[in-house]
Amino acid sequence: MSMGKVKLNMAGFRQVRQSAGVMHELTVQAQAMKRRADSMHVTEGAEYDYAPAVTTDRGSVALCTTGKATKPHIKAMVDNAHHNTLLKAVK
């Protein structure tokens, strides 16, 4: 039994990845990851951040980060460097 060829509709696939529903879910997941990272940090005063979903040329992306150069975010950078908190917050 041979397998047939499959041709993906990349334009349609990109449209789905850039849809409002997918972008909303990405933002929800980034917020949830931020909450998990904030709840498991070891460094006192560390505060993680997230960026809502934006479209890219291939789809959409949302981020959970250590943040910018504020004092709680610098503590989050130190916390993440020592304990891999963001990696542990991925579920």
Side-chain angles (χ1 to χ4, degrees):
M1 186 172 177
S2 67
M3 297 291 290
K5 289 189 176 184
V6 175
K7 178 149 173 82
L8 295 176
N9 178 348
M10 294 308 289
F13 191 40
R14 187 176 304 110
Q15 188 176 11
V16 168
R17 291 181 296 187
Q18 292 176 339
S19 70
V22 169
M23 290 182 66
H24 173 73
E25 185 58 29
L26 286 172
T27 300
V28 168
Q29 292 300 318
Q31 289 171 333
M33 186 175 168
K34 177 211 179 313
R35 282 192 302 275
R36 287 191 299 271
D38 282 340
S39 71
M40 67 175 58
H41 66 75
V42 177
T43 304
E44 186 67 31
E47 184 179 318
Y48 290 86
D49 199 5
Y50 80 96
V54 295
T55 59
T56 67
D57 58 340
R58 293 185 176 182
S60 302
V61 64
L63 301 173
C64 182
T65 70
T66 55
K68 296 188 169 69
T70 64
K71 193 168 186 172
H73 292 150
I74 291 171
K75 289 182 178 185
M77 292 175 197
V78 171
D79 183 68
N80 189 57
H82 285 106
H83 306 286
N84 262 343
T85 308
L86 286 175
L87 180 62
K88 292 174 183 175
V90 176
K91 277 193 173 182

